[in-house]
Amino acid sequence: MEASLQAALDALSDPIRRCIVRELAVAPDWALPCGTFKELPVAKSTLSHHFTVLRNVGLLEQRDEGARRLNRLRREEFDARFPGLLALVLSEP
Amino acid sequence: MEASLQAALDALSDPIRRCIVRELAVAPDWALPCGTFKELPVAKSTLSHHFTVLRNVGLLEQRDEGARRLNRLRREEFDARFPGLLALVLSEP
């Protein structure tokens, strides 16, 4: 999963994706299905794309449970690869 | 100069701008005029735009000396505002 810095910056330069990351950060691992985020002002297909980008860059992990796709933020892994970057996103007001 | 995280990520998500930052980081303050960077594969006007973006986000400071525009990387200031972000850029191969 060695994402490049380019990929990480591209992933996090989208405000909706940073919003998803911040919401995941305050929930327990695997607590939030993708459906939780449907109040975000984007189409369902766009939201699905955002999750794919975040997963591809190593920021989150997903698993299916019945009809729900659950998410876990890969905090330690991402922080080891890009020290400080996640903290910046989480400290954003 | 309180740049937003959005502005900082936008500024650094461009590979040419990260290249400029890395070159400035290995030179003494005020050592490099903008003209130094003309080997980068972009038009002069584009290069000038890149410098403006970096200046606006608080990453560099410029001063004119005759016909040359000299640059200084605002390391400490940027690092205080966005801890770890500049280090990520400088550690990129």
Side-chain angles (χ1 to χ4, degrees), chain A residues 4-47:
Chain A
S4 65
L5 179 60
Q6 182 69 60
L9 294 172
D10 286 343
L12 291 173
S13 65
D14 184 285
I16 297 284
R17 289 197 283 265
R18 292 201 303 281
C19 186
I20 293 172
V21 167
R22 282 194 300 271
E23 291 207 29
L24 286 173
V26 294
D29 283 358
W30 307 118
L32 299 188
C34 293
T36 311
F37 297 85
K38 57 183 177 236
E39 78 284 6
L40 290 173
V42 291
K44 194 176 165 186
S45 60
T46 307
L47 193 56

Side-chain angles (χ1 to χ4, degrees), chain A residues 4-6 9-10 12-15 18 22 81-85 88-90 92, chain B residues 4-6 9-10 12-15 18 22 81-85 88-90 92:
Chain A
S4 65
L5 179 60
Q6 182 69 60
L9 294 172
D10 286 343
L12 291 173
S13 65
D14 184 285
R18 292 201 303 281
R22 282 194 300 271
R81 176 74 183 90
F82 302 108
L85 191 50
L88 282 175
V89 172
L90 299 184
E92 193 179 24
Chain B
S4 64
L5 179 59
Q6 182 68 61
L9 294 172
D10 286 343
L12 291 173
S13 64
D14 184 283
R18 293 202 302 281
R22 282 194 300 270
R81 176 74 184 89
F82 303 107
L85 191 49
L88 282 175
V89 172
L90 300 184
E92 193 180 22

Side-chain angles (χ1 to χ4, degrees), chain A residues 22-83:
Chain A
R22 282 194 300 271
E23 291 207 29
L24 286 173
V26 294
D29 283 358
W30 307 118
L32 299 188
C34 293
T36 311
F37 297 85
K38 57 183 177 236
E39 78 284 6
L40 290 173
V42 291
K44 194 176 165 186
S45 60
T46 307
L47 193 56
S48 172
H49 167 70
H50 285 325
F51 275 95
T52 302
V53 170
L54 292 172
R55 197 180 59 224
N56 286 347
V57 81
L59 248 169
L60 59 83
E61 191 176 358
Q62 300 186 304
R63 77 172 181 222
D64 291 332
E65 209 173 83
R68 304 187 315 161
R69 176 156 287 186
L70 304 179
N71 296 282
R72 177 181 87 85
L73 196 60
R74 302 185 65 188
R75 251 177 221 269
E76 289 74 18
E77 298 94 321
F78 194 79
D79 206 52
R81 176 74 183 90
F82 302 108

Side-chain angles (χ1 to χ4, degrees), chain B:
Chain B
M1 91 99 189
E2 275 295 275
S4 64
L5 179 59
Q6 182 68 61
L9 294 172
D10 286 343
L12 291 173
S13 64
D14 184 283
I16 296 284
R17 289 197 283 266
R18 293 202 302 281
C19 184
I20 293 172
V21 167
R22 282 194 300 270
E23 291 207 28
L24 286 173
V26 294
D29 283 358
W30 307 118
L32 299 188
C34 294
T36 310
F37 297 84
K38 57 184 176 234
E39 79 285 5
L40 290 172
V42 291
K44 193 176 166 184
S45 59
T46 307
L47 193 56
S48 173
H49 167 71
H50 286 324
F51 275 96
T52 302
V53 171
L54 292 172
R55 196 179 61 223
N56 287 347
V57 82
L59 248 169
L60 59 84
E61 191 177 359
Q62 299 186 304
R63 78 174 182 222
D64 291 331
E65 210 174 82
R68 304 188 313 162
R69 175 155 288 187
L70 303 179
N71 296 281
R72 178 182 87 86
L73 197 60
R74 302 184 65 187
R75 251 176 221 270
E76 289 75 17
E77 298 94 321
F78 194 79
D79 207 53
R81 176 74 184 89
F82 303 107
L85 191 49
L86 186 54
L88 282 175
V89 172
L90 300 184
S91 69
E92 193 180 22

